[in-house]
Structure formats: structure tokens, C-alpha cells
Amino acid sequence: MRVIRNATLADGRVRDVRIGDDGHIDAVGTDLAGETLRDATGKRLLPGMIDAHVHFRQPGYGHKETWASGSRSAAAGGVTTVVDQPNTDPPTVDGAAFDEKATLARDSLVDFGINGGVTGDWDPEALFDRPLFALGEVFLADSTGDMGIDPELFERAVRRATEEEVVVTVHAEDASYFDESARERDDPEAWSAYRTAKAEAVAVAQAVEVGEDVGASIHIAHASTPEGIDQANAAGATTEVSPHHLFLSREDQPDLGTFGRMNPPLRSEERRLAVFDRVADGTVDIVATDHAPHTREEKDAGIWDAPSGVPGVETALPLLLAEAERGRLSYERVRDLTAANVADIFSLPRKGRIEAGRDADLVLVDPSAEREIRASDLHTNCDWTPFEGMTGIFPELSMVRGSVVWESDDPERGVGRFFGEQGKNVRDL
Ligand SMILES: NC(=O)N[C@@H](CC(=O)O)C(=O)O
Ligand SMILES: [Zn+2]
Ligand SMILES: [Zn+2]
């Protein structure tokens, strides 16, 4: 059995981690017998990030991203499990669409979950007959793919999912609270002025009220305001924040233009700081990337015409680790936000922690190897990033169920190699 020696875990303990031939963590201890895979002295070892919110764009939009390219980007960013959203073409709202996506997901280098979706033509019988990860994002307003549904269908879907004991993840914006007067503007902040913070707060309140009535597990996707987070938290719903709402604000819009357009939109610097505080103090449950690639050509349009969404799967953990190195987040908080809490919320008992018996989904980082984020170094098909020029701590090595899937030979440039078996559907493990 192979041993990663002398690694510093998220809680500061220095331990050997022995990996069983079956891909599980065999033991965490000191002076463990076994063949040394890595001497990890001075390095941090974390559970692989479980990214509960990605758009890998297949079927239907393979020109933006594919399961192969998106999952390589994930592996190089320390993400060892991804969860794909239903706004593909066809949308993942029936059995055939799920099966089509499950076939395409065989290209994934990392483990994955496939969410079911809801539209007027959804087929819950067939959908809940598949190994769904969760139901969602259920769109309370249109976003990419125009899958917005009305409150009556939302309640029916929440009831159905709850019968199946499936978590419902919600895209919480209420279009009746968008500021239509912003349509006269065409400056970069027009999109943030249009999709108001109030629209999020109202939609969160609606979603968690249905959740409480039904006794559902409601998870608020990409929460972007302190108001929305606090409302969800007060109602016992779980919350997710995306890196762009943690590290970017309306103040970056003049530089980003449409490359900073996403739903929900960037918020004020004041709200960004308030959201960051809630991530740091544990009010927010998880960080997920909402990796939503669009091509440069598609984004080269006016603020009202460009598609919404930004990539993030490869840069999320590096950005968070740089904050931990600066002491603004604890390493334990990063572990909980990106792995342990995700495993708890979505019932993944084999993943999310470095403990004997769990999958050996591991990420090894050298805390001193912080470097600049450059789109040219990233492995997604999306050839731009809104985080260009910021800095992050990228993984030296990522492992999925004991198989090394990524090794960075050159930490400076992120040049490395991908290996390993294909990822598996976590609901089939
Ligand atoms: N977030 C976005 O702005 N876009 C996402 C869809 C979504 O998460 O709403 C996409 O798939 O492009
Ligand atoms: Zn969304
Ligand atoms: Zn999304």
C-alpha cells in the first residue's frame, strides 16, 4: 500500500495517510508501514473538492466545454467530484436526457453526479428512476437555457423530490423584482442594476417557505447577497456561494464587461465583503463554482446580449487556499466548505474527509507555491477567466479513489500530466 508521508492536514495535524489498493484511505497515523508515494513534509493534504455546481455543457453545447476538458480542469484545480446541472440540450428533465448525459460523462476524469431538472415537460417518474445526485438547479427565473418555472410547478417539484428524499437546489431570483429601468443603461454595471439583490432575497424567501411547508431539504445555489444567505440560514436551508461573488464585485465590472456577466450578478463591494464574512464564519455551508463557460466570441457582445456565466472549476480551491495562507480563512473552513459539508448535505458518506474507510480523494498542495492565475495555464476549453492576474495555490497532485489523476511537474506554470481511470457516478459507487 502507498503512503503519503508527513502531510499537514486541514486541522494542522501532521500525519501519514495510507492508501489501500482498493482506492480507500486505509489509515491515517504516524510512521505507517508501506511504500512512500510522496514525502509531503511541509505540504498540506486536503480532501478533494466536491464541486456541487458545474456546467460541463454536454450534451448540446460541447463548443463551450466538454466532460473531458471540464473534468481535466477540475482535476488540475483539486476538484475530485463535480455535479453537472440540467440546463444542457436536451435539458436533463427526463430519463432519456439523463441517460444521454450519463453516457457522455464516461469521459470524466473525476467522479461526478448528474442532477435532474424541472421544466413544464419534465418526467419525474423516469427521472427519479435514475441515480440522480440532486434535483436542480431549479430555476425560479430564466438564466442560461431559459428553464425558469412558475411557483406552482416549483412546489409540485419540491414535494416530489422530498418524497424521494432528494435535495432540491434552487436558482433563487424573482424576475418580478428585476429593475426594468436598468434597460436604458448599457454600461457594464447595468446587469447588476437589473438583476437586483432584492430579486434574490424575495426568491430565497419564497423557496425556503415552500421548503418549510413541505419539510424539504432546500439548498440555495450561488447565493450572492447577505440578505439571501441570512434568510436561507434562518429557515434551515443550506447555502452555497460561488468564487466570483467572493472575489469580484461591481467595482470589477468596468474591467470585466460581459466577462463579468453572470446570474445572479456581481454585487457591491460592501455585499461582497458581507458574503465573505459569512463564508469565513461558517454561516455559508459550501463553496461551489457555478463553472459556466461561454466562448470569447459569445461574450464579445453588448451587456444585454452576451450570455451569463463565468468559468471557475480550476481556480476555486487555489483562490481559497491563498486566503487560508493569508489567514483570512482557516484551512479547516476551506476543507468544510469545499468537501466535508458538501458530503454531509448531499449524503456522500464515502467522500469529503481524510478518514480511514473513505475514498482516497486527495489534493496535495505546497502552501509556498502561490502563483498568478492565467487563462493560458488553465485546462478548460474556456480560454478566459475573470480571475486573470489574481493569485492562487494550485495542487501538486490530485487523486480520485486512490488513482492519481493530475500531477503538476511545474508548479510555476501548472504544466503537468493527467492520468488515471475514468470517474464514476457517485450514486453508483
Ligand atoms: N450562472 C450563470 O450566469 N449561468 C449559468 C446558469 C446558472 O447557473 O444560472 C450557465 O449555465 O451559464
Ligand atoms: Zn443558476
Ligand atoms: Zn449554474
Side-chain angles (χ1 to χ4, degrees):
M1 289 193 269
R2 296 162 296 158
V3 180
I4 295 177
R5 294 199 183 284
N6 253 4
T8 304
L9 306 182
D11 59 11
R13 288 178 300 146
V14 176
R15 290 289 185 278
D16 293 356
V17 176
R18 185 160 63 199
I19 297 132
D21 300 338
D22 62 356
H24 284 108
I25 294 168
D26 167 74
V28 178
T30 48
D31 301 330
L32 294 182
E35 167 215 343
T36 297
L37 175 70
R38 278 288 176 110
D39 172 1
T41 305
K43 300 194 174 159
R44 286 273 182 176
L45 189 70
L46 291 167
M49 179 168 177
I50 304 168
D51 189 347
H53 191 151
V54 300
H55 300 270
F56 279 179
R57 301 303 196 202
Q58 286 181 309
Y61 305 108
H63 66 288
K64 296 175 191 270
E65 190 74 282
T66 65
W67 276 91
S69 56
S71 61
R72 285 158 76 104
S73 192
V79 174
T80 54
T81 301
V82 294
V83 181
D84 196 64
Q85 306 301 305
N87 62 333
T88 35
D89 181 13
T92 323
V93 297
D94 58 38
F98 181 96
D99 297 345
E100 182 180 2
K101 184 173 285 189
T103 303
L104 290 159
R106 287 185 194 146
D107 291 346
S108 181
L109 187 62
V110 299
D111 283 352
F112 59 87
I114 298 174
N115 277 0
V118 183
T119 60
D121 337 315
W122 77 312
D123 175 355
E125 293 321 307
L127 208 47
F128 286 109
D129 198 25
R130 278 15 185 227
L132 292 186
F133 183 86
L135 186 71
E137 49 189 311
V138 180
F139 292 88
L140 298 186
D142 278 347
S143 185
T144 304
D146 296 339
M147 289 178 67
I149 62 169
D150 63 46
E152 192 273 330
L153 176 52
F154 176 68
E155 178 164 344
R156 279 211 322 270
V158 170
R159 287 189 184 285
R160 191 72 181 72
T162 306
E163 283 162 24
E164 304 283 342
E165 297 180 356
V166 167
V167 175
V168 179
T169 79
V170 185
H171 180 119
E173 289 185 281
D174 180 334
S176 52
Y177 287 83
F178 291 167
D179 178 354
E180 295 302 329
S181 72
R183 284 193 178 279
E184 276 109 62
R185 300 171 52 166
D186 63 1
D187 61 295
E189 288 194 50
W191 195 250
S192 293
Y194 174 58
R195 290 181 83 120
T196 59
K198 176 113 175 111
E200 173 170 299
V202 169
V204 168
Q206 291 162 348
V208 298
E209 189 184 344
V210 170
E212 284 180 305
D213 290 352
V214 172
S217 300
I218 297 286
H219 177 74
I220 302 297
H222 45 45
S224 64
T225 64
E227 300 92 326
I229 290 165
D230 292 347
Q231 259 172 326
N233 202 50
T238 54
T239 53
E240 162 192 313
V241 166
S242 306
H244 40 274
H245 292 120
L246 272 183
F247 295 102
L248 299 170
S249 76
R250 289 178 68 154
E251 294 184 8
D252 301 289
Q253 274 296 165
D255 291 341
L256 289 168
T258 60
F259 292 89
R261 173 177 148 164
M262 79 291 287
N263 303 328
L266 293 180
R267 304 296 184 187
S268 65
E269 180 61 8
E270 185 194 359
R271 279 200 169 95
R272 180 189 77 80
L273 293 169
V275 167
F276 197 103
D277 286 347
R278 287 161 175 76
V279 166
D281 73 14
T283 304
V284 168
D285 298 283
I286 71 170
V287 169
T289 66
D290 193 12
H291 177 79
H294 297 284
T295 66
R296 208 177 263 284
E297 295 68 38
E298 290 164 338
K299 279 286 193 177
D300 275 342
I303 194 73
W304 295 98
D305 306 316
S308 294
V310 296
V313 77
E314 189 166 350
T315 48
L317 187 59
L319 283 163
L320 292 170
L321 291 173
E323 291 303 299
E325 212 37 38
R326 291 189 191 94
R328 292 200 202 121
L329 286 173
S330 70
Y331 270 96
E332 287 159 300
R333 176 74 60 228
V334 172
R335 173 205 61 202
D336 293 348
L337 287 162
T338 60
N341 291 354
V342 194
D344 292 348
I345 292 166
F346 294 103
S347 310
L348 297 173
R350 300 174 39 152
K351 292 185 179 298
R353 286 178 169 80
I354 298 182
E355 283 170 4
R358 292 200 184 222
D359 290 348
D361 296 348
L362 301 171
V363 184
L364 183 66
V365 298
D366 175 350
S368 67
E370 188 163 348
R371 65 173 164 84
E372 244 190 64
I373 293 172
R374 285 187 292 258
S376 53
D377 293 341
L378 303 178
H379 300 84
T380 162
N381 278 353
C382 188
D383 61 357
W384 57 274
T385 168
F387 306 107
E388 188 82 18
M390 296 174 74
T391 58
I393 300 176
F394 287 82
E396 274 189 19
L397 175 146
S398 302
M399 179 184 277
V400 174
R401 280 176 289 105
S403 282
V404 176
V405 288
W406 161 257
E407 253 185 344
S408 167
D409 297 331
D410 174 352
E412 277 308 302
R413 291 270 306 150
V415 172
R417 289 170 294 162
F418 296 97
F419 327 62
E421 62 183 33
Q422 299 307 4
K424 298 217 178 351
N425 184 326
V426 295
R427 294 295 184 222
D428 292 338
L429 283 178

